[in-house]
């Protein structure tokens, strides 16, 4: 199953897409990734792209729901907080860096508690019920001249201020091996909320975010970075709408040839997509 | 905006600095590497157009005129070295020393597992040094105005400290602040709009930062914050300014920690927090929110943390670091819960003590008057074990002058540099400047 969302905002275009992994298809499992976008128009516009990667093994058997809840909650909490803080740039940045992690983790747990109680799901002995829904979450937001990025857990984010250079704002935790990730289900999840804030890039700049299903399809970080740069070149030529329409099939080929994992990616491009402006936010499930 | 390869010109020295690669980018501007004509590396912070204001420039020039605060305490400030400008860019920036980001960590990086968590001893050293440096800044007539976890860098192993983003530093009571601070760290009277940032409000921010370092939590984030659905500015104003209730207030339970796994770490860390530190936190976050004059001064924090550093004892069962509370006759290891006896102590004439644990370090501040340049932090002695008789311990003299040792039976011996005084109950030691101490078990 594929899921694509895309839209335009005052400074450019954005899109996100999820594609089920080859190994999940083979095992009859659902896609445990999720993505969601959000935007606000008017005097105080903003754009949010959120992606999540459910952990997906037997201990986290409901992580597809956990991931879908995570992106839902992240977009909602950030949208609501933007309405509260939109007149105060520093206050919003402080909220994003110091509070948003705690508030998103808490809202996710409340939603999961409700979901579990409704479905009669119980915790395994000695574990929390949240573990069954374990997931990462990554968000990229544009608002009031800044790009704000944050994450709990693995996955990759890249920022380009000019369409040429590429920065990875986040360092991988040293307390985890490559097979382990931080999770919204951890009791200390709000403390592992990593953030980065950049001034809005010039036209041609962009933000790219993906779950590790995509980055693990490449042998090295350099290969992944090269892919992101090439992808942006294609977006520049053909537009993000056309490219994001193709993402499910591209991601499907990557997962079959590469990681086997679900793949989700999102992008916010600045100064692109003039022709797409004015179109309504478009969400399609195929 | 300047880019790699541009040359910026120092306003004071006139030297040209070649801009190198971008190190980072934030809300205020960008930070680049830079190279001076003599080949030395510096960092260049370049403000974006919103931040590059005449006020900011005036403030920077004042900091440059004054110079970095002196001594070991002042050296921890990553102070602006020179203002820099570029002919084609109306903005400006400043030059500062390069920070070794492999060595130094932000608290957020520790929480996120990116850098190792400091031990009790390292936390005590970080806390004492931070307090000492802010004291020095305040004594020089400045206030920091935006103390927060993002501005304090520390070496999680050695406990060394750097204080960055000093461009917000201003003259206490005089210069106007471009920022009021970060609300989480703001003194309640600033949040309520009754005061502007100054040295007194810095003391509150410092206490919040120290609390976060030790407890990994905010002192006012309890039930009251938990129950607020919309965490907006009025809500923050209520929690941080109008009704600030300490989460560990034993008499006021309105803001105690909810029964939620989110708070497990804070509860655990508070349970192992040394009693004297708990008392200090209660004082600053209960009395100090009402009466700013009740807030502990930086010197009090420094003295407390030095004593805590000197009170570290290692559990013989699991080697976990514990801190003796200064009262109990034995220690219950916070990690393995086993009880173990206290090691001998060195009691100094002025009343402080050093637990003679195998990992203890005697420092120059123990044995002689502290000179500002060094801060008294270098090791003056260390505990050594007799290689032939492992149950005999000694204090090795690492200074360059002899000590005098007097045993309980009255015999006197000199302890030359490089040699150790065998530790025994009741022995007296006379150090470099005539400072004295005795050993008690």
């Amino acid at each position: 199953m594929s899921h694509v969302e895309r839209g335009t905002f005052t400074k450019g275009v954005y899109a996100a897409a999820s594609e089920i992994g080859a190994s999940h298809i083979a095992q009859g499992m659902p896609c445990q990734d999720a993505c969601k976008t959000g935007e606000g128009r008017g005097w105080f516009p903003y754009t949010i792209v959120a992606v999540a990667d459910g952990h997906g093994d037997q201990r986290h058997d409901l992580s597809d729901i956990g991931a879908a809840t995570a992106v839902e909650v992240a977009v909602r909490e950030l949208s609501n907080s933007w309405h509260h803080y939109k007149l105060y740039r520093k206050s919003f940045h402080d909220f994003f860096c110091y509070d948003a992690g705690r508030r998103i983790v808490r809202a996710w747990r409340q939603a999961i508690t409700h979901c579990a109680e409704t479905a009669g799901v119980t915790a395994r002995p000695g574990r929390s019920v949240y573990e069954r829904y374990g997931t990462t979450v990554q968000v990229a937001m544009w608002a009031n001249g800044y790009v704000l990025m944050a994450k709990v857990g693995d996955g990759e984010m890249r920022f380009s201020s000019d369409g040429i250079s590429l920065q990875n704002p986040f360092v991988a935790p040293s307390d985890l091996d490559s097979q382990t990730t931080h999770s919204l289900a951890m009791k200390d999840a709000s403390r592992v909320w990593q953030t980065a804030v950049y001034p809005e890039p010039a036209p041609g700049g962009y933000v790219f975010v993906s779950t590790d299903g995509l980055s693990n399809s490449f042998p090295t970080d350099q290969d992944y970075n090269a892919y992101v740069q090439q992808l942006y070149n294609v977006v520049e030529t053909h537009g993000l709408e056309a490219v994001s329409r193709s993402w499910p099939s591209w991601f499907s080929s990557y997962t079959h040839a590469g990681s086997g994992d679900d793949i989700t990616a999102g992008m916010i491009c600045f100064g692109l997509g003039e022709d797409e402006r004015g179109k309504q936010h478009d969400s399609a499930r195929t | 905006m300047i880019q790699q390869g541009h040359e910026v010109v120092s306003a004071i020295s006139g030297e040209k600095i070649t801009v190198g690669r971008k190190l980072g980018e934030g809300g205020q501007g960008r930070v680049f590497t830079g190279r001076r004509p003599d080949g030395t590396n510096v960092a260049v912070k370049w403000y974006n157009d919103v931040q590059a204001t005449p006020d900011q420039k005036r403030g920077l020039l004042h900091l440059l005129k004054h110079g970095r605060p002196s001594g070991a305490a002042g050296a921890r400030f990553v102070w602006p070295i020179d203002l820099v400008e570029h002919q084609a860019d109306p903005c400006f920036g400043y030059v500062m020393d390069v920070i070794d980001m492999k060595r130094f960590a932000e608290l957020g990086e520790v929480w996120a597992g990116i850098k190792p968590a400091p031990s009790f001893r390292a936390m005590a050293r970080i806390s004492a040094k931070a307090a000492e440096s802010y004291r020095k800044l305040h004594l020089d007539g400045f206030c920091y105005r935006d103390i927060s976890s993002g501005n304090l860098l520390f070496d999680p192993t050695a406990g060394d400290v750097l204080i960055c983003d000093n461009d917000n530093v201003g003259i206490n009571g005089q210069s106007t602040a471009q920022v009021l601070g970060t609300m989480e760290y703001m003194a309640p009277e600033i949040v309520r709009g009754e005061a502007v940032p100054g040295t007194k409000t810095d003391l509150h921010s410092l206490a919040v930062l120290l609390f976060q370092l030790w407890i990994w939590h905010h002192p006012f984030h309890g039930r009251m914050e938990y129950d607020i659905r919309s965490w907006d500015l009025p809500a923050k104003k209520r929690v941080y300014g109008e009704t600030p209730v300490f989460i560990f207030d034993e008499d006021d339970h309105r803001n105690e920690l909810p029964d939620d796994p989110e708070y497990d770490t804070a509860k655990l860390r508070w349970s192992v927090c040394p009693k004297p530190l708990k008392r200090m936190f209660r004082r600053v976050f209960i009395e100090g929110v009402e009466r700013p004059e009740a807030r502990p001064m930086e010197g009090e924090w420094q003295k407390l943390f030095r004593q805590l550093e000197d009170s570290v004892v290692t559990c013989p069962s699991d080697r976990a670091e514990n801190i003796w509370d200064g009262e109990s006759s034995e220690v219950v290891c916070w990690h393995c819960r086993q009880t173990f006896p206290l090691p001998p102590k060195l009691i100094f004439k002025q009343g402080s003590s050093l637990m003679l644990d195998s990992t203890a370090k005697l420092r120059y501040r123990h044995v002689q008057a502290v000179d500002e340049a060094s801060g008294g932090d270098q090791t003056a002695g260390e505990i050594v074990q007799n290689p032939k008789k492992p149950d005999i311990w000694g204090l090795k003299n690492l200074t360059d002058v002899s000590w005098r040792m007097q045993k309980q039976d009255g015999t006197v011996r000199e302890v030359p540099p490089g040699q150790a005084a065998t530790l025994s109950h009741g022995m007296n030691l006379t150090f470099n400047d005539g400072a004295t101490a005795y050993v008690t078990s």
Side-chain angles (χ1 to χ4, degrees), chain B residues 189-354:
Chain B
E189 60 271 26
I190 301 181
V191 178
R192 292 194 298 265
E194 297 164 2
V196 293
T199 51
K200 279 226 164 59
T201 62
D202 272 357
L203 292 178
H204 176 86
S205 310
L206 173 64
V208 175
L209 176 57
L210 294 171
F211 188 83
Q212 290 188 318
L213 178 67
W214 284 81
I215 310 299
W216 289 25
H217 201 79
H218 191 283
F220 301 140
H221 283 182
R223 169 64 63 188
M224 292 165 81
E225 187 266 343
Y226 189 75
D227 286 343
I228 292 172
R229 193 168 173 77
S230 177
W231 190 234
D232 53 13
L233 283 171
K236 284 188 168 192
K237 201 171 173 185
R238 193 157 64 246
V239 168
Y240 300 131
E242 292 161 356
T243 327
V245 179
F246 186 40
I247 53 176
F248 295 114
D249 188 330
E250 289 172 321
D251 300 319
D252 184 343
H253 298 280
R254 282 179 296 166
N255 202 20
E256 63 188 6
L257 296 182
D259 184 19
D260 185 303
E262 179 182 336
Y263 299 93
D264 286 357
T265 298
K267 288 174 186 169
L268 173 69
R269 293 185 73 92
W270 180 256
S271 72
V272 301
C273 182
K275 283 181 197 168
L277 184 53
K278 283 183 177 177
R279 282 195 288 271
M280 201 82 127
F281 283 138
R282 286 202 172 98
R283 184 175 137 202
V284 65
F285 296 125
I286 298 172
E287 289 174 60
V289 294
E290 294 295 326
R291 294 187 303 114
E293 63 275 14
R295 288 173 192 149
M297 302 295 286
E298 317 87 332
E300 288 178 81
W301 285 115
Q302 188 188 348
K303 187 177 170 194
L304 170 66
F305 287 119
R306 280 185 169 172
Q307 184 56 65
L308 293 180
E309 181 193 346
D310 293 344
S311 302
V312 170
V313 286
T314 310
C315 173
S317 300
D318 64 0
R319 309 302 298 162
E321 271 191 358
N322 288 260
I323 294 187
W324 178 55
D325 60 13
E327 296 165 12
S328 314
S329 57
E330 54 190 14
V331 177
V332 179
C333 175
W334 67 272
H335 189 245
C336 70
R337 310 305 303 167
Q338 295 214 33
T339 302
F340 63 93
L342 292 173
K345 296 186 281 292
L346 197 57
I347 309 284
F348 297 93
K349 196 177 171 184
Q350 76 274 23
S352 63
S353 58
L354 173 67

Side-chain angles (χ1 to χ4, degrees), chain B residues 50-61 92 178:
Chain B
V50 180
Q51 295 292 324
T53 63
D55 270 352
Q56 187 76 58
K57 193 180 244 184
R58 254 193 307 278
L60 267 176
L61 287 169
F92 58 89
Q178 277 222 323

